[in-house]
Amino acid sequence: MKLYACPKDENNSEREYENMDDKKTGFTSKLGFVFAAAGSAVGLGNIWRFPYLAAKYGGGIFLLVYIVLAVTFGFSLMVTEIAIGRKTGKSAVKAFASLDRRFSFIGYIASAVPIIIFPYYCVIGGWVIKYLTIYFTGQGAEAAADGYFDGFISSPVSPIVFTCIFIFLTAVVVLMGVQKGIEKVSTVMMPVLVLLSIGIAVYSLTIDGAWEGFIYYIKPNFSDFSIKTVVAAMGQLFYSMSLAMGIMITYGSYMRREDNLEGSVRQIEIFDTAVAFFSGMMIIPAVYAFSGGDKDALNQGAGLMFVTLPKVFDTMYGGKLVAAVFFVLVLLAALTSSISLMETIVSIFSDKLKVKRWVICVCVMLISAEVAVPSSLGYGIWSDVKLLGRSILDFFDFISNNIMMPITALLTCIFVAFVIKPKTIEDEVERTENFRSKKLYRIMISFVCPVFLVVILISSVIGYV
Ligand code: PFF
């Protein structure tokens, strides 16, 4: 009889079970799993990153490409990762190793991605905390003034202090353990976040001049299409759905075997894409309204949300209160994502080093705080430092999203298509129900994804983006 390991318990120890049916899981219900995985997926990627990329890469055409990629590519990769996790009951490195020893290196490459993302993610998380304090201390009008955001991110100390607070909050929840922390927070917060985003998005549309921006956002203009749009949408897809970095493998390892895997993936995807869509709708029409459709305003990149939303709140009746609630929810969304990032990093090291989990947590917290400093200073006193023509934060974002994630995704597809074969994944999906998109899955994972990923990688590397 084959021996399987159960997923990590709270002390991160692994016990061997003779039979997978005895597997102890971290989630107590299917919805708990969906909300927790959606909690990892829905975060700053949806609310901060998606709108500025959509604004920059042609609005409607970016949205269309993104949705097509989500239901084909994103779906196939997420099914693969969660199935690998649930089948093996292990996190990335050990999961690949247990399926085929020679391929554990894929797990290592995947694991490097959260290590790169986590510090700069916390810098943006710090910006969110700053805006939260602004609205709680009644300075909303100042935040709506031109130049406020640039003044804040270019100062040497304040953004770093907020980054450290964000890292500390993340570390506290990670120390509390999977079930108590992540599951509870996500279950309450997700639906509220979606509703509030819809409310603000609808309000945004009522601002004078916003309608034109809304049309720009939803109506694809095919003359804006280029390989850049696809590369950017693909990087965003990985980032937003927490794919190609081992995270969904870890989450899959906590999933109950009696739950419907395909249905869960669909729900996570719908959640994630809905939040991204409404975030774009909150921000892009408003940018149009305030700038009169100026291309430079649409192109301003990372600061878009922090520059535009305060202006929206400033025009809104009761806007200060809405802003305060909104930034609390964004902070929670950012935290559930950063928790999953840190949780992954901590498990990688606790698998390798025989050191207590809390010691590793503290080390990860301190090292990340230090590594985050250059990303933050890159917008201020180190703004002259350019890596591949990008600011330091953008450089880490580019390396993780446009290079390492496509590599991990490509290796994963090759691994499934030629080593373990798609049937292994399909069987795992079919433990409970018919795999309805089996044909699509097979074609995607064996042919379309690998070819497409090679094209994406080549265009990233030769500097199309
Ligand atoms: N998916 C998260 C977001 O959209 O904000 C970001 C993220 C979380 C990326 C966890 C990577 C990760 F491991």
Side-chain angles (χ1 to χ4, degrees), residues 37-50 66 110 113-115 117-118 120-121 236-248 251 272 333-334 336-342 344 401 405:
S40 164
V42 175
L44 294 170
N46 308 61
I47 306 165
W48 155 75
R49 201 172 185 275
F50 181 87
Y66 184 84
V113 178
I115 298 175
I117 293 183
F118 183 61
Y120 86 76
Y121 199 82
Q236 173 60 16
L237 182 74
F238 291 140
Y239 189 91
S240 183
M241 296 194 178
S242 305
L243 294 172
M245 54 190 105
I247 289 202
M248 286 299 157
Y251 273 74
D272 192 71
T336 50
S337 298
S338 64
I339 289 161
S340 74
L341 280 165
M342 186 167 174
T344 310
N401 287 275
M405 294 190 207

Side-chain angles (χ1 to χ4, degrees), residues 89-108:
K90 292 171 179 164
S91 53
V93 174
K94 289 191 175 172
F96 280 103
S98 76
L99 290 169
D100 189 321
R101 231 159 240 287
R102 295 167 301 166
F103 289 86
S104 57
F105 75 95
I106 304 179
Y108 283 104

Side-chain angles (χ1 to χ4, degrees), residues 386-441:
K386 294 279 180 240
L387 303 166
L388 297 181
R390 295 171 161 79
S391 71
I392 302 173
L393 191 148
D394 281 350
F395 170 77
F396 286 129
D397 192 65
F398 172 78
I399 290 291
S400 47
N401 287 275
N402 296 46
I403 308 282
M404 296 197 50
M405 294 190 207
I407 292 179
T408 311
L410 177 61
L411 291 171
T412 307
C413 292
I414 294 173
F415 178 69
V416 172
F418 302 105
V419 183
I420 59 169
K421 307 286 183 219
K423 185 153 186 337
T424 311
I425 304 293
E426 290 158 14
D427 288 349
E428 182 61 34
V429 176
E430 286 187 328
R431 269 181 193 289
T432 49
E433 247 128 296
N434 231 352
F435 188 178
R436 286 195 289 169
S437 312
K438 187 146 93 179
K439 273 205 190 109
L440 169 79
Y441 176 77

Side-chain angles (χ1 to χ4, degrees), residues 89-152:
K90 292 171 179 164
S91 53
V93 174
K94 289 191 175 172
F96 280 103
S98 76
L99 290 169
D100 189 321
R101 231 159 240 287
R102 295 167 301 166
F103 289 86
S104 57
F105 75 95
I106 304 179
Y108 283 104
I109 301 178
S111 307
V113 178
I115 298 175
I116 301 177
I117 293 183
F118 183 61
Y120 86 76
Y121 199 82
C122 293
V123 173
I124 317 290
W127 298 352
V128 173
I129 299 186
K130 163 74 181 177
Y131 274 70
L132 192 68
T133 59
I134 289 177
Y135 285 99
F136 273 94
T137 54
Q139 299 164 298
E142 285 161 48
D146 286 335
Y148 183 89
F149 176 71
D150 287 339
F152 163 62

Side-chain angles (χ1 to χ4, degrees), residues 373-387:
V373 169
S375 290
S376 182
L377 293 182
Y379 285 111
I381 53 175
W382 285 3
S383 59
D384 289 341
V385 180
K386 294 279 180 240
L387 303 166

